Amino acid sequence: MGVESIAVLWVVVVMGGAWVQAQEAAADREAPWRIHTLFSVECQNYFDWQTVGFMHSYRKARQPGPVTRLLSCTEEEKKSYRGMDLAPTLEVPSMSKHPRTGDWYPAINKPAGIVHWLKHSKEAENVDWVVILDADMIIRGPIIPWELGAEKGRPVAAYYGYLIGCDNVLAKLHTKHPELCDKVGGLLAMHIDDLRALAPMWLSKTEEVREDTAHWATNYTGDIYGTGWISEMYGYSFGAAEVGLRHKINDNLMIYPGYVPRDGIEPILMHYGLPFRVGNWSFSKLEHHEDNIVYDCGQLFPEPPYPREVKEMETDPNKRRALFLNIECINTLNEGLLLQHAAYGCPKPKWSKYLSFLKSKMFAELSQPRSVTPKSLQMMEVEHTQTQEQHVENPGKPYPKIHTIFSTECSPYFDWQTVGLVHSFHLSGQPGNITRLLSCTEEDLKQYKGHDLAPTHYVPSMSRHPLTGDWYPAINKPAAVVHWLNHAKIDAEYIVILDADMIMRGPITPWEFNAARGRPVSTPYDYLIGCDNELAKIHTRHPDACNKVGGVIIMHINDLRRFALMWLHKTEEVRADTAHWSRNITGDVYEAGWISEMYGYTFGAAELNLRHIISNEILIYPGYVPAPGVKYRVFHYGLEFKVGNWSFDKANWRQVDLVNKCWAKFPDPPDPSTLDRTDDNALQSNLLSIECGNALNEALRLHHEKKKCTDPTSISSPILKTPDSISLSPPSQETTSEVTTSRKFGKIEDISTLRRSPNLKNESRESSPPAMANETFTSMRFWIIGLWAFSIVVFVAVMSLMLSNRKGQKKRGKSLKTKRRASHSGFWDMNGNDRFLRSAEIA
């Protein structure tokens, strides 16, 4: 073989080796499974500019696998449609106008388009994983299902917390497995087999929810417009629950421009479905509904501020990141439009500073593909473990233990509330035990008569703050919970926290309302507007996690242990922030900082990233119109309510002792048979109000029977009138706000000191102390003590008289008798004092 032949052979070998290495490297870069990305649109200019932005970001982010636009058009729309070449497209028959019902609902095209793709596209036969997105999204980095944690049977999805229908009657109406309903949407990454099982059910459930107009209201769906527009989202959640798909829910991968990203989180998807702004510049997709921007050469969206300007606007690093995301979103859209115009053969646009920036190295670096961070991959703790799912899979396993607690103070006002709540607790079927957390000063406790009204844990009062001197009884609630956790033996897994001014109508259990560790359940308190404004930003690092909740709380004991002290600290913090007590910041109509404890709860929970399941089916205020078919578990009579000329306002009974006055009760509500039945809403509201009033009176009646009050048929029963005519002395300036604004707390005491009572000690007293003697017997004791004292005085006088007659006796005898006399007198003094002290202690 010649030298030339050897050289040629060497070159072939080297090149062959290089080719093999290149092929191996390429194989390493290829996805081990096949991915396909889908998004759904209609034949409109509005969707065309979104498609341009989506496709540009898809290419820029280097999303693996092919992409298909599911284009839903009518035959008439197709005739004039110009955007067929904007993306790889599968034409789908339009269902905007439902072929059976005639209902106009374009959103149904999304599940209908996916069903059509699965049935008619050859690509659907050659894929393992599917990523489903919306057109109004910008992809910032590769979305690879298995890298995000998706598994067969466990899709990954973004969190849509406003889908409250998963927690109420809506889910019970539309799926056999409401406990599996996940509040998800936006980003969906799932196995093709799961999608084949889900897609027909997604379409069917969308039709079902859309036709259920009776449950379109905001309190059922969370849709602020109440028009059923998010029926398709519920169709997905209910369909997934129906086929048993349990999602891995991620609240980090997708962000809305305008939102502040969490520290250490790198979103890989932007969803510009809501308006957002940077300084004086703003963008809302709805303002560009009819824009011809794709087809008008040189037309772009208004240019946002430049990065240098953004840096000068904001010093906070996370807020600055949010602003950079905002301008990245709109700049990516405009960059895509420029490239599309060039593809259409538009003239080269004139030079401008903005066009120069879009082509600059700086923008290329700012918008380069992003990779998910470890924190971004953390899933929300929304697993269905520990509760109902546990019993679906292990029906023989016992339910977790529950303990119910409520907070009160030493006053007649809280005593009649305690009687009502405890009576209703025993009737409701609530599992577990109940404990009253009783906050009292030492002076209060000496005079208090209601020890036997409930199983009680005694707590030092914090009504007057020991450090600041601030008078704020509402702080006793979190302080009492902290004390109870630290000093009581608790074997329950879940704690239900109520207010004293409640009547239970049924059990409140974690397995029914889907509470889990890391996911407490509560009821909506929509007036806590501070969650949406600067108040939350001041008092928590996670204002986006602030839930407007309160009233009823179901929480895992481990969550409560790490949360309770934060609840107390945040209450102190908000209470001290007097500069932000105004109504426009807090929603407090009295602007007195009285709801600081409620904000302490929500901000404390946000600080620990405890996100609540918010249920509209647990609590109702008497006087409100109930939702059809909902069996509310609790009355919260914190507000005045009326039925005809009869009314009830708890604040009117602040100073009235209904518990210790035999047969005292509230004025009876009207007989239900007398109600007007022409207006069903008014009727249902009135019936609930009457039920609440009767429940309180029945609780008081049974309490008086238990006290062995005289037979009420032999004496006139003291039915008390609403105490409008009761003369109450005006409160001091210090207590005015409490008297007029409290929804939770009772009689005000003027406390000058705050000392731990020796009777409290640092231990739990779950069982009630012995019942106290009645007032008649106490009076008799004082008469006996007085008689003893009088006898002693008479005895001393007689002895003195006798001694004066014996002064002539001998000195030795006198001395001896004096000693004996002194000894005798000391014996009676000692006995008298001892008996007096013991009598006083008993009394």
Side-chain angles (χ1 to χ4, degrees):
M1 184 179 290
V3 175
E4 291 180 358
S5 299
I6 294 172
V8 169
L9 183 61
W10 181 82
V11 169
V12 169
V13 170
V14 170
M15 291 183 66
W19 181 83
V20 169
Q21 289 179 347
Q23 291 301 309
E24 288 176 350
D28 288 341
R29 288 195 301 269
E30 287 180 1
W33 293 286
R34 298 162 296 177
I35 307 174
H36 201 108
T37 302
L38 300 175
F39 68 106
S40 173
V41 300
E42 298 157 42
C43 289
Q44 297 174 11
N45 289 342
Y46 177 63
F47 284 105
D48 284 356
W49 63 256
Q50 294 178 35
T51 297
V52 167
F54 182 95
M55 288 303 302
H56 176 55
S57 71
Y58 165 85
R59 289 185 283 263
K60 195 168 184 174
R62 301 170 193 162
Q63 172 70 5
V67 62
T68 297
R69 174 180 62 160
L70 307 176
L71 181 65
S72 301
C73 300
T74 65
E75 292 302 320
E76 283 300 311
E77 287 172 331
K78 282 184 191 177
K79 292 177 182 178
S80 58
Y81 185 61
R82 297 177 285 177
M84 283 296 183
D85 59 344
L86 295 178
T89 299
L90 177 69
E91 295 180 37
V92 178
S94 174
M95 275 190 68
S96 294
K97 186 173 183 179
H98 198 280
R100 176 174 56 83
T101 65
D103 177 42
W104 179 260
Y105 183 56
I108 201 172
N109 285 313
K110 185 175 181 178
I114 290 171
V115 169
H116 192 272
W117 179 76
L118 288 168
K119 187 174 182 181
H120 297 286
S121 173
K122 291 183 179 180
E123 290 179 312
E125 300 172 5
N126 298 291
V127 65
D128 302 301
W129 293 92
V130 181
V131 175
I132 303 173
L133 304 175
D134 288 336
D136 57 344
M137 290 180 172
I138 296 295
I139 306 173
R140 303 184 71 234
I143 302 171
I144 303 174
W146 57 90
E147 290 186 1
L148 302 183
E151 305 171 64
K152 190 174 180 178
R154 299 297 306 275
V156 167
Y159 180 57
Y160 272 9
Y162 55 84
L163 297 180
I164 60 173
C166 276
D167 302 326
N168 61 38
V169 70
L170 199 65
K172 296 173 184 175
L173 290 171
H174 294 291
T175 173
K176 291 177 289 186
H177 303 292
E179 73 281 358
L180 298 183
C181 183
D182 289 323
K183 292 183 268 192
V184 294
L187 163 63
L188 305 169
M190 69 176 65
H191 195 275
I192 185 65
D193 293 345
D194 294 333
L195 186 59
R196 290 189 186 281
L198 166 66
M201 189 64 71
W202 182 359
L203 176 59
S204 173
K205 289 296 178 183
T206 298
E207 294 175 306
E208 189 180 301
V209 176
R210 179 67 183 172
E211 291 174 18
D212 184 11
T213 56
H215 293 92
W216 279 5
T218 305
N219 62 318
Y220 292 119
T221 64
D223 178 4
I224 58 174
Y225 301 105
T227 58
W229 198 253
I230 58 177
S231 299
E232 173 270 317
M233 300 180 191
Y234 279 114
Y236 177 87
S237 292
F238 295 159
E242 200 74 356
V243 299
L245 287 179
R246 305 176 198 167
H247 294 81
K248 293 184 177 181
I249 304 177
N250 190 303
D251 199 24
N252 300 323
L253 299 172
M254 185 184 82
I255 194 169
Y256 286 89
Y259 282 31
V260 178
R262 299 185 185 96
D263 189 37
I265 300 300
E266 188 65 74
I268 58 172
L269 189 66
M270 286 189 284
H271 188 184
Y272 55 90
L274 301 174
F276 58 97
R277 66 174 53 249
V278 179
N280 295 324
W281 176 93
S282 64
F283 179 83
S284 173
K285 69 173 187 176
L286 296 178
E287 294 175 357
H288 302 277
H289 211 282
E290 304 299 329
D291 274 12
N292 203 35
I293 198 167
V294 172
Y295 308 103
D296 286 349
C297 291
Q299 292 297 312
L300 302 176
F301 294 112
E303 64 182 67
Y306 293 94
R308 185 180 67 250
E309 297 170 319
V310 170
K311 287 181 181 178
E312 295 172 354
M313 288 180 190
E314 183 59 63
T315 56
D316 182 272
N318 281 329
K319 291 180 181 177
R320 183 188 289 173
R321 282 182 65 212
L323 296 180
F324 272 108
L325 286 171
N326 295 353
I327 63 172
E328 179 187 332
C329 177
I330 198 68
N331 287 333
T332 304
L333 281 169
N334 278 338
E335 186 182 33
L337 287 169
L338 276 175
L339 294 172
Q340 188 63 45
H341 292 161
Y344 279 158
C346 290
K348 187 176 181 179
K350 295 179 180 180
W351 182 91
S352 70
K353 181 182 176 182
Y354 182 57
L355 291 182
S356 178
F357 166 72
L358 290 181
K359 296 176 182 179
S360 69
K361 184 179 179 182
M362 175 187 284
F363 177 62
E365 291 176 351
L366 288 173
S367 58
Q368 64 184 343
R370 308 289 174 172
S371 300
V372 291
T373 61
K375 279 191 175 182
S376 299
L377 292 174
Q378 291 177 358
M379 300 295 169
M380 292 179 61
E381 294 186 34
V382 194
E383 305 284 339
H384 300 284
T385 56
Q386 307 295 329
T387 53
Q388 194 152 347
E389 179 188 315
Q390 171 180 308
H391 298 281
V392 173
E393 297 178 352
N394 304 295
K397 192 167 182 177
Y399 283 115
K401 287 186 177 181
I402 305 173
H403 200 114
T404 303
I405 60 175
F406 66 104
S407 173
T408 71
E409 298 162 45
C410 287
S411 73
Y413 178 62
F414 279 106
D415 284 357
W416 62 257
Q417 294 178 35
T418 297
V419 168
L421 177 57
V422 172
H423 171 65
S424 68
F425 170 86
H426 292 302
L427 293 180
S428 68
Q430 176 73 355
N433 298 318
I434 189 169
T435 296
R436 171 180 61 164
L437 309 181
L438 184 63
S439 300
C440 301
T441 66
E442 182 181 346
E443 290 303 312
D444 288 335
L445 206 59
K446 288 178 181 178
Q447 304 172 27
Y448 185 61
K449 304 174 184 176
H451 295 279
D452 59 342
L453 298 179
T456 300
H457 176 84
Y458 293 83
V459 181
S461 175
M462 271 190 69
S463 293
R464 186 176 299 284
H465 197 281
L467 298 179
T468 66
D470 176 42
W471 177 261
Y472 183 55
I475 202 172
N476 284 313
K477 185 175 181 179
V481 172
V482 170
H483 193 275
W484 180 68
L485 289 170
N486 287 327
H487 298 100
K489 292 181 180 179
I490 304 165
D491 64 352
E493 188 175 346
Y494 283 90
I495 308 302
V496 176
I497 304 175
L498 304 178
D499 286 337
D501 57 345
M502 291 180 173
I503 294 292
M504 295 186 68
R505 305 178 71 235
I508 304 168
T509 60
W511 51 87
E512 182 171 2
F513 294 101
N514 299 320
R517 186 171 179 178
R519 290 288 281 170
V521 171
S522 192
T523 51
Y525 270 14
D526 293 332
Y527 55 83
L528 297 179
I529 61 173
C531 274
D532 302 326
N533 60 39
E534 63 190 272
L535 197 66
K537 295 174 183 176
I538 292 170
H539 293 290
T540 173
R541 294 171 297 172
H542 307 294
D544 56 307
C546 184
N547 296 141
K548 292 183 273 190
V549 295
V552 176
I553 299 158
I554 310 172
M555 188 176 287
H556 194 277
I557 184 65
N558 292 347
D559 293 331
L560 188 60
R561 287 191 187 281
R562 68 190 183 99
F563 162 67
L565 193 59
M566 183 67 72
W567 179 6
L568 176 59
H569 287 168
K570 288 295 176 183
T571 299
E572 294 174 308
E573 187 179 301
V574 177
R575 178 67 181 172
D577 184 12
T578 56
H580 293 92
W581 279 6
S582 60
R583 180 177 182 177
N584 65 314
I585 294 177
T586 64
D588 179 2
V589 295
Y590 300 101
E591 300 187 331
W594 198 254
I595 57 177
S596 298
E597 174 271 317
M598 300 181 194
Y599 279 116
Y601 178 89
T602 58
F603 295 159
E607 198 72 0
L608 298 178
N609 210 23
L610 285 175
R611 297 173 185 253
H612 294 74
I613 295 171
I614 304 174
S615 175
N616 292 283
E617 297 191 2
I618 299 176
L619 178 148
I620 189 171
Y621 287 89
Y624 281 30
V625 176
V630 177
K631 181 174 174 22
Y632 296 99
R633 307 306 169 87
V634 169
F635 286 132
H636 189 186
Y637 53 89
L639 304 174
E640 182 183 17
F641 55 98
K642 299 180 179 181
V643 179
N645 294 326
W646 178 88
S647 67
F648 180 86
D649 184 347
K650 69 170 189 176
N652 290 335
W653 303 90
R654 188 177 299 278
Q655 307 291 349
V656 183
D657 190 351
L658 292 152
V659 171
N660 295 302
K661 186 174 179 61
C662 276
W663 307 114
K665 65 175 184 174
F666 302 108
D668 289 319
D671 188 320
S673 63
T674 64
L675 297 178
D676 181 7
R677 297 178 180 268
T678 56
D679 183 340
D680 188 60
N681 282 341
L683 174 64
Q684 297 305 319
S685 173
N686 288 339
L687 288 173
L688 290 180
S689 297
I690 291 171
E691 180 186 337
C692 182
N694 284 336
L696 283 168
N697 274 342
E698 177 64 9
L700 286 168
R701 185 187 69 79
L702 292 173
H703 167 74
H704 294 314
E705 277 188 4
K706 186 178 177 182
K707 278 182 60 181
K708 302 192 183 312
C709 286
T710 309
D711 184 356
T713 58
S714 63
I715 58 173
S716 59
S717 179
I719 302 174
L720 303 179
K721 295 182 179 179
T722 304
D724 296 328
S725 59
I726 294 177
S727 177
L728 300 178
S729 59
S732 66
Q733 182 179 0
E734 177 184 49
T735 62
T736 300
S737 62
E738 199 279 332
V739 171
T740 57
T741 69
S742 173
R743 291 178 54 186
K744 295 186 173 184
F745 296 89
K747 181 179 177 183
I748 299 168
E749 303 289 350
D750 183 15
I751 304 165
S752 57
T753 59
L754 183 66
R755 304 188 303 274
R756 184 183 296 268
S757 170
N759 293 326
L760 300 182
K761 300 183 181 180
N762 284 330
E763 61 186 31
S764 175
R765 291 170 61 183
E766 295 292 346
S767 59
S768 301
M772 307 304 284
N774 62 40
E775 293 178 5
T776 306
F777 190 50
T778 301
S779 319
M780 185 179 295
R781 286 197 180 117
F782 281 111
W783 277 105
I784 292 170
I785 291 167
L787 184 58
W788 284 344
F790 178 77
S791 301
I792 291 168
V793 170
V794 171
F795 179 80
V796 170
V798 170
M799 292 298 293
S800 298
L801 184 61
M802 291 174 63
L803 289 172
S804 64
N805 293 330
R806 303 182 63 181
K807 285 183 178 180
Q809 297 182 0
K810 294 179 181 179
K811 185 177 180 179
R812 179 181 176 85
K814 181 177 179 181
S815 175
L816 179 62
K817 287 183 171 96
T818 301
K819 288 181 181 179
R820 290 177 62 189
R821 194 162 53 246
S823 173
H824 194 62
S825 176
F827 172 79
W828 280 105
D829 287 344
M830 181 182 68
N831 274 313
N833 288 336
D834 182 61
R835 292 180 187 179
F836 181 86
L837 289 171
R838 282 190 287 114
S839 299
E841 185 180 347
I842 294 171

